[in-house]
Amino acid sequence: MKNFIFISPNFPTNYWQFCHELQNNGMNVLGIGDQPYDELMPELKESLNEYYKVGSLENYDEVYRAVAFFAFKYGKIDWLESNNEYWLEQDARLRTDFNITTGFHLEDIPRIKYKSKMKAYYQKAGITTARYHMVDNFDGCRKFIDEVGYPVVVKPDNGVGASDTYKLSTDQELRDFLAYKSAVHPFAPYIMEEFVHAEVNSYDAIIDAHGNPIFEAGNVTPMSIMDIVNNNDNSIYYIVKDLPDDTRAAGRAAVKSFGVKSRFIHFEFFRMTEDQPSMGEKGKIVALEVNMRPCGGFTPDMINFSRSTNVYKIWADMVAFGGTDMPVGEHFYCAYAGRRDGKPFLYSHEQIMQKYQGHMRMVDRIPDALADAMGNQMYVATFSTEEEMNQFYQDVLACNG
């Protein structure tokens, strides 16, 4: 029996399904987390062969000892994974220290976590990237801005999601940002990029041990996650009914260039919404960033609704058997709408539920840890046409005044 250690299997809450499908496939599923065992969801408890509670997942020595305990008790650890952006680096360090060969090691981290390092691998894949400058001082940044023009976007070179990401449009905003960085993050590297007028299109795929996709989907984010976080906006994105050919081609090329194997991935691209001389024409796919884990929150469930399938099982089949025979059924648009608390919405929760009850797939409150990017109250619904989906967004997000 193969041993699989799942780091932080309790967050996000839907990740118990990865553990469940691994166990169904005959794997020994061993969890390490900082939540007391008694507080774990019953479904997760039933999906774990054993659970080791640590005081903090941030404490590497503690997590190391937990892995060592499992290795002593069960023998060789075949897989170790969190499927979580936040723990990617620690996962790689644990694999390196315990010689677990089914995943990224420490030496792989720079190209998959640092936005500046990703550029070369995109270019190797033939995918256009935004021009950039590593943030230094006002004069250095201003010289770059002279070349690309305002606005520019600044963000941590090694960041998670859209946290601490800002759009700068004036010299004063640049000065304010540099003062903030100096005071709060004096030693953290930040990257400055030319602004791309675009919506975000993703390539979501499960890649086998040979670097080939065994399942592919994608989503579109019409609104900027950066703006949603910084402006406290509502949140929308949707799984496309069918993956566009150019997104698929760019995704597959990036998979090969970055050397991805045996992973569930979420690669983000810009689809340009207007012509930009330095980038190309409207509609072109341009690089944004790679994420070596599933798309966040409840997106795996949305992909299931959109494709009438089970990506948790497809991923677990890849782990256990190298491939899958899980069927993919009818395709739909799957829409996510995240309402922000405190806004004067035109239609009540009850009215929305009554009108769209035949389309609703998930309705829930968003955990505080995800609310900045995803809103507070979520609605997930499926539609056969883009027109129906757009009407749903209008109704859910319409406000008085």
Side-chain angles (χ1 to χ4, degrees):
M1 182 181 286
K2 288 186 176 180
N3 296 313
F4 191 111
I5 290 179
F6 208 112
I7 304 291
S8 188
N10 54 303
F11 186 84
T13 53
N14 48 324
Y15 273 23
W16 70 268
Q17 295 177 80
F18 285 122
C19 299
H20 173 74
E21 297 298 345
L22 287 170
Q23 195 180 62
N24 275 354
N25 283 345
M27 301 199 72
N28 201 32
V29 188
L30 310 166
I32 299 174
D34 54 13
Q35 188 173 21
Y37 180 77
D38 291 343
E39 295 176 13
L40 298 180
M41 292 170 60
E43 298 93 334
L44 177 57
K45 288 181 183 177
E46 292 169 9
S47 303
L48 296 173
N49 296 76
E50 188 167 348
Y51 180 73
Y52 190 113
K53 182 194 175 297
V54 294
S56 169
L57 285 169
E58 304 276 0
N59 185 329
Y60 185 77
D61 289 343
E62 239 190 318
V63 180
Y64 181 97
R65 286 197 296 274
V67 176
F69 169 78
F70 282 146
F72 175 76
K73 184 171 180 179
Y74 295 100
K76 181 179 181 296
I77 304 302
D78 300 286
W79 291 77
L80 182 145
E81 188 60 73
S82 66
N83 275 344
N84 193 313
E85 181 85 20
Y86 192 80
W87 303 116
L88 275 182
E89 226 160 314
Q90 182 167 277
D91 291 350
R93 185 177 175 189
L94 289 164
R95 288 192 206 99
T96 302
D97 287 350
F98 286 92
N99 195 29
I100 301 166
T101 57
T102 50
F104 290 118
H105 283 197
L106 270 181
E107 70 216 36
D108 301 307
I109 287 298
R111 77 174 187 276
I112 66 173
K113 282 287 285 176
Y114 288 84
K115 294 171 177 65
S116 59
K117 301 283 196 298
M118 294 175 188
K119 303 276 186 183
Y121 293 89
Y122 277 126
Q123 287 158 6
K124 194 170 81 173
I127 302 166
T128 301
T129 60
R131 290 171 290 178
Y132 77 101
H133 171 75
M134 297 308 295
V135 172
D136 44 11
N137 54 32
F138 181 85
D139 289 340
C141 291
R142 198 64 191 78
K143 185 178 177 186
F144 173 71
I145 293 165
D146 284 341
E147 182 185 337
V148 302
Y150 278 120
V152 292
V153 173
V154 288
K155 52 193 170 184
D157 195 25
N158 178 10
V160 177
S163 60
D164 222 26
T165 299
Y166 305 101
K167 179 180 175 182
L168 309 179
S169 299
T170 66
D171 283 359
Q172 188 55 51
E173 288 180 0
L174 173 60
R175 288 191 178 92
D176 291 345
F177 166 74
L178 291 171
Y180 156 79
K181 181 189 179 311
S182 177
V184 181
H185 303 293
F187 304 112
Y190 275 64
I191 185 172
M192 175 180 285
E193 293 181 304
E194 64 181 312
F195 186 79
V196 183
H197 297 274
E199 65 178 16
V200 175
N201 285 216
S202 79
Y203 174 76
D204 297 87
I206 297 169
I207 308 299
D208 69 13
H210 306 290
N212 299 314
I214 60 172
F215 176 84
E216 296 169 302
N219 67 52
V220 171
T221 306
M223 300 165 66
S224 161
I225 293 291
M226 174 179 66
D227 291 340
I228 291 166
V229 172
N230 292 338
N231 302 337
N232 208 28
D233 284 343
N234 299 311
S235 174
I236 70 170
Y237 72 101
Y238 59 91
I239 310 298
V240 293
K241 189 172 181 178
D242 294 295
L243 186 65
D245 289 342
D246 54 357
T247 308
R248 186 191 311 273
R252 289 183 176 184
V255 163
K256 295 297 184 188
S257 184
F258 281 88
V260 182
K261 293 178 180 176
S262 305
R263 294 199 74 74
F264 199 145
I265 57 162
H266 171 64
F267 285 7
E268 293 177 329
F269 299 95
F270 287 124
R271 184 179 294 279
M272 293 169 55
T273 52
E274 58 184 71
D275 294 353
Q276 278 184 255
S278 63
M279 296 281 180
E281 296 179 352
K282 177 181 176 180
K284 182 180 176 181
I285 290 286
V286 174
L288 176 49
E289 65 183 57
V290 295
N291 297 286
M292 300 296 178
R293 43 77 182 170
C295 190
F298 298 98
T299 310
D301 303 285
M302 290 174 59
I303 295 173
N304 286 346
F305 301 140
S306 173
R307 296 291 184 275
S308 311
T309 192
N310 183 347
V311 293
Y312 300 104
K313 175 169 170 50
I314 294 171
W315 175 83
D317 287 353
M318 176 274 293
V319 170
F321 313 124
T324 187
D325 57 7
M326 181 71 203
V328 174
E330 187 178 353
H331 290 201
F332 300 93
Y333 290 96
C334 186
Y336 175 97
R339 279 183 167 187
R340 189 74 62 186
D341 287 351
K343 291 186 180 291
F345 292 106
L346 184 60
Y347 299 109
S348 68
H349 170 75
E350 290 72 23
Q351 288 172 307
I352 294 297
M353 292 304 297
Q354 185 173 2
K355 180 170 182 179
Y356 289 102
Q357 58 185 337
H359 296 269
M360 286 295 182
R361 298 293 175 262
M362 296 179 80
V363 179
D364 211 341
R365 296 291 294 174
I366 291 293
D368 289 345
L370 301 174
D372 281 355
M374 302 190 72
N376 303 107
Q377 174 68 45
M378 75 157 183
Y379 301 90
V380 171
T382 53
F383 301 94
S384 295
T385 69
E386 199 167 356
E387 290 74 23
E388 290 176 292
M389 178 176 71
N390 289 338
Q391 185 60 52
F392 166 75
Y393 279 132
Q394 285 178 30
D395 290 343
V396 172
L397 302 178
C399 284
N400 288 305

